[in-house]
Amino acid sequence: MKELFDSVSNDCSKLVTKKYSTSFSLAVKMLSPKIRTDIYNIYGFVRFADEIVDTFHDYNKEVLMEHFEKDYYLAKEQGISLNPILNSFQKTVNRYNIPDEMVQAFLKSMKADLFKTEYQTKAEYDEYIYGSADVVGLMCLKVFVDGDNDRYEELKDAAMRLGSAFQKVNFLRDLKDDFEVLNRSYFPNVDLGKLDAASKQLIIDEIEKDFDFAYKNGILKLPVEAKFGVYMAFRYYRRLLKKLKSVPSEKIMDTRIRISDPMKINLLARSYVKYKLNIL
């Protein structure tokens, strides 16, 4: 009956994805059915860790994170957890031989959010981005290539750059909450209280370089099972960035940028046409 419990665990990770991110959930639906479950499982794990540090303000976040990490390693060692999110994630980790270094890097960045409020150097910023975003892209790539190490090595830089781009767009979109609610400032040498046009443009230029590299060197070369879903997420975030570019720097802290549901459907339809015509 372990199979039934595993199935329930997978369903929980899928539900977490759908409830917390309709956009990412839509992109995952565009992946091949044989890899969707494992991507849901990765998202469930990283989402719960992120929720601990970002939203559970009435609880001891440090203790929660400590228990979350400890319970994950018990699950990995024993091959089971009564926490369905950890149970499903450890199965994906073991199935695709996801290195523990990736999990540790991710948890390190999440734990940094418990106490670190400002990133003053590019080295600090890059380390945080690597743990919070790049390794998530690498975990997903492990699923996409399914043991093909040569293809993994070929695509890993692009996977990291795409993860970086997604995270930096999130930083720009969430400036107000990060700065005013969570008291965090991720962009080094940028005064978010007085964000000027030049500083904003430098950030956007950096993101666009990441997107261009990821598209040319990664998305176009992905296995067919993954290409359309990843391309859909890429198109969504590019549209978010386009909307962020149009907002004056002095107003970006007061504007909540989102993509409407009709626009998401429009992006999906147009992306599907390009994919089917092989003109990505």
Side-chain angles (χ1 to χ4, degrees):
M1 296 300 291
K2 175 64 160 51
E3 291 80 6
L4 179 58
F5 177 66
D6 287 340
S7 177
V8 170
S9 297
N10 293 338
D11 287 345
C12 287
S13 293
K14 180 179 179 179
L15 180 62
V16 167
T17 308
K18 292 176 68 175
K19 289 293 186 179
Y20 277 100
S21 180
T22 56
S23 303
F24 187 75
S25 179
L26 180 62
V28 176
K29 286 180 181 179
M30 301 303 110
L31 299 172
S32 167
K34 71 178 185 179
I35 60 174
R36 283 180 205 160
T37 294
D38 291 293
I39 302 303
Y40 285 135
N41 293 346
I42 291 170
Y43 182 88
F45 177 80
V46 301
R47 181 76 260 171
F48 267 28
D50 195 57
E51 287 303 301
I52 291 172
V53 300
D54 279 359
T55 64
F56 296 163
H57 306 308
D58 295 330
Y59 304 90
N60 190 320
K61 297 178 181 181
E62 190 171 352
V63 170
L64 288 175
M65 183 59 75
E66 180 182 328
H67 287 173
F68 187 71
E69 181 175 4
K70 180 180 178 181
D71 289 346
Y72 162 68
Y73 280 104
L74 282 173
K76 190 171 185 296
E77 176 185 340
Q78 298 174 355
I80 189 172
S81 174
L82 294 183
N83 178 328
I85 299 302
L86 296 180
N87 185 62
S88 60
F89 181 63
Q90 64 85 20
K91 284 184 66 65
T92 293
V93 167
N94 290 327
R95 181 180 297 122
Y96 292 96
N97 296 311
I98 293 174
D100 189 54
E101 180 275 330
M102 295 182 188
V103 179
Q104 275 296 302
F106 171 74
L107 292 173
K108 182 179 180 180
S109 287
M110 292 300 97
K111 286 184 280 189
D113 279 338
L114 295 172
F115 62 88
K116 192 170 181 64
T117 59
E118 189 173 354
Y119 290 79
Q120 297 182 334
T121 68
K122 188 175 186 302
E124 289 180 332
Y125 172 67
D126 288 345
E127 182 181 18
Y128 179 84
I129 292 283
Y130 174 76
S132 66
D134 294 6
V135 296
V136 179
L138 293 177
M139 289 181 199
C140 292
L141 183 60
K142 282 285 186 181
V143 175
F144 297 157
V145 302
D146 193 16
D148 186 338
N149 290 327
D150 289 339
R151 180 169 272 190
Y152 174 81
E153 291 297 323
E154 178 187 8
L155 299 177
K156 69 178 184 179
D157 288 342
M160 292 168 62
R161 294 285 290 270
L162 187 61
S164 291
F166 288 172
Q167 181 69 296
K168 293 166 189 174
V169 171
N170 287 337
F171 286 164
L172 264 184
R173 182 193 60 188
D174 299 334
L175 275 182
K176 183 179 178 66
D177 286 343
D178 284 341
F179 187 63
E180 296 182 359
V181 178
L182 299 174
N183 192 33
R184 295 185 196 144
S185 178
Y186 291 108
F187 296 114
N189 303 314
V190 174
D191 183 354
L192 295 183
K194 301 176 182 177
L195 182 65
D196 58 33
S199 296
K200 179 190 169 196
Q201 189 59 50
L202 285 174
I203 294 169
I204 289 173
D205 289 345
E206 182 180 305
I207 296 171
E208 290 185 328
K209 288 178 182 177
D210 285 336
F211 272 137
D212 289 343
F213 183 93
Y215 179 74
K216 295 173 183 176
N217 298 281
I219 294 174
L220 294 178
K221 301 177 182 180
L222 280 170
V224 65
E225 294 86 356
K227 183 182 287 187
F228 182 52
V230 177
Y231 179 66
M232 185 62 207
F234 166 82
R235 287 290 305 275
Y236 170 78
Y237 271 89
R238 286 296 295 259
R239 180 53 61 94
L240 266 181
L241 183 62
K242 183 178 181 180
K243 295 192 73 171
L244 285 162
K245 286 174 67 175
S246 69
V247 179
S249 58
E250 66 272 14
K251 294 184 178 180
I252 199 165
M253 293 280 280
D254 301 318
T255 307
R256 175 64 179 180
I257 299 297
R258 64 181 300 273
I259 305 297
S260 67
D261 289 340
M263 178 55 69
K264 290 176 186 176
I265 299 302
N266 180 269
L267 282 173
L268 173 61
R270 291 164 61 188
S271 299
Y272 184 72
V273 170
K274 287 189 174 183
Y275 173 72
K276 293 302 288 184
L277 293 177
N278 198 28
I279 55 174
L280 293 185

